[in-house]
Amino acid sequence: MRVLIISDVHANLPALEAVLKDAGSVDAVWCLGDLVDYGPDPNECVDLVRQQPNLVCLLGNHDAAVLGRLDLSFFNREASLSVQWTQQALRDDTRQFLEQLPERIVVGSCTLVHGSPRNPLWEYLLDLSVVAANFAHFDTTYCLVGHTHIPVIFHYDGEWIEWVVPKDKEAVTLKTPVIANPGSVGQPRDRDPRAAYAIFDPEAGTWEFHRVEYPIDQVQERIIKAGLPTYHARRLSEGV
Ligand code: ZN
């Protein structure tokens, strides 16, 4: 079974298109939230994700913010400006799609959340003690997260956290229990500006990280033309 795992598309259509093309034929697509905000194509990205086979899609904190469910004072100035821009840009059917997305979902042996199993919308799994504490908050074999925009695999043996930084296209057999993050399609923050995704086989327990180039300059031009904060354009070429 080939499941395409994507997260944090952030309204970056060329990055999403490049990922779907590079991934090729898959049995299902699981999207871990933050479809919109930051980028210039929220409706087009939601349209394309909705067409994917056997889609499972989660709500992210930026999706929730755009739906008006969060206080914008949690966001910095650039982020709250782009939330407001996205609120204006959303079509009704895009909004309706986002409105029905769950914060947490269990698919077979996998728990899917955007941030962390303890706090699905907000918690960042960056600090190893926070990661360790979160292993008590899911009871499936696998837990998949996004939110940090940094691809990584965390395994906990009950005492220590082992973490694996991915190599492009290398298939790993996951030790379990595990928390895995595919990285971000539309706004990578691990200093590699290429779009990130993963191919996961929940039956075999294998995971492959992938990176793919996309025309960053086109998105940057569109961000600036749309009147979105230029910082969201600049950071794309650096992957920060
Ligand atoms: Zn995000």
Side-chain angles (χ1 to χ4, degrees):
M1 188 182 186
R2 266 170 72 81
V3 183
L4 168 61
I5 312 294
I6 55 173
S7 191
D8 300 275
V9 172
H10 283 293
N12 185 336
L13 185 64
L16 177 61
E17 288 173 335
V19 162
L20 294 174
K21 189 169 170 222
D22 197 60
S25 164
V26 293
D27 301 302
V29 175
W30 297 352
C31 174
L32 306 176
D34 278 4
L35 266 170
V36 302
D37 198 22
Y38 294 142
D41 294 309
N43 294 303
E44 293 76 4
C45 287
V46 170
D47 287 345
L48 190 52
V49 165
R50 289 178 75 172
Q51 293 165 22
Q52 299 310 308
N54 298 311
L55 176 70
V56 175
C57 190
L58 291 173
L59 186 79
N61 59 315
H62 286 262
D63 306 315
V66 164
L67 293 173
R69 294 186 192 167
L70 297 176
D71 180 351
L72 288 187
S73 60
F74 283 108
F75 285 70
N76 63 32
R77 185 173 172 274
E78 278 81 12
S80 64
L81 283 173
S82 68
V83 166
Q84 287 162 25
W85 183 95
T86 306
Q87 286 172 334
Q88 302 282 322
L90 279 199
R91 294 192 319 254
D92 285 348
D93 62 311
T94 309
R95 175 180 297 276
Q96 282 156 16
F97 175 76
L98 295 176
E99 262 164 2
Q100 50 83 45
L101 296 178
E103 288 181 18
R104 180 189 183 106
I105 196 161
V106 173
V107 187
S109 55
C110 310
T111 299
L112 276 52
V113 287
H114 178 63
S116 78
R118 180 165 68 180
N119 182 347
L121 277 194
W122 280 105
E123 190 168 49
Y124 288 92
L125 294 183
L126 291 166
D127 182 285
L128 292 187
S129 62
V130 173
V131 174
N134 267 280
F135 274 87
H137 292 265
F138 64 98
D139 52 15
T140 52
T141 309
Y142 307 100
C143 176
L144 309 189
V145 301
H147 197 39
T148 61
H149 299 206
I150 295 172
V152 67
I153 294 167
F154 296 112
H155 166 63
Y156 185 47
D157 66 4
E159 198 173 356
W160 301 101
I161 294 284
E162 182 186 307
W163 52 284
V164 178
V165 177
K167 290 198 186 90
D168 201 9
K169 296 183 182 63
E170 185 188 36
V172 290
T173 301
L174 296 172
K175 285 189 205 169
T176 59
V178 69
I179 298 177
N181 186 327
S184 167
V185 171
Q187 198 193 82
R189 290 185 194 153
D190 59 345
R191 301 201 169 271
D192 180 342
R194 296 175 298 168
Y197 69 94
I199 297 290
F200 177 45
D201 182 339
E203 287 156 3
T206 54
W207 179 277
E208 274 171 41
F209 283 109
H210 289 263
R211 300 306 281 253
V212 58
E213 290 191 13
Y214 72 94
I216 292 174
D217 52 338
Q218 283 180 19
V219 187
Q220 290 174 317
E221 233 170 76
R222 305 230 17 250
I223 286 174
I224 290 160
K225 230 180 174 173
L228 281 157
T230 53
Y231 174 63
H232 298 327
R234 271 202 318 275
R235 67 192 303 184
L236 289 178
S237 23
E238 286 148 40
V240 291

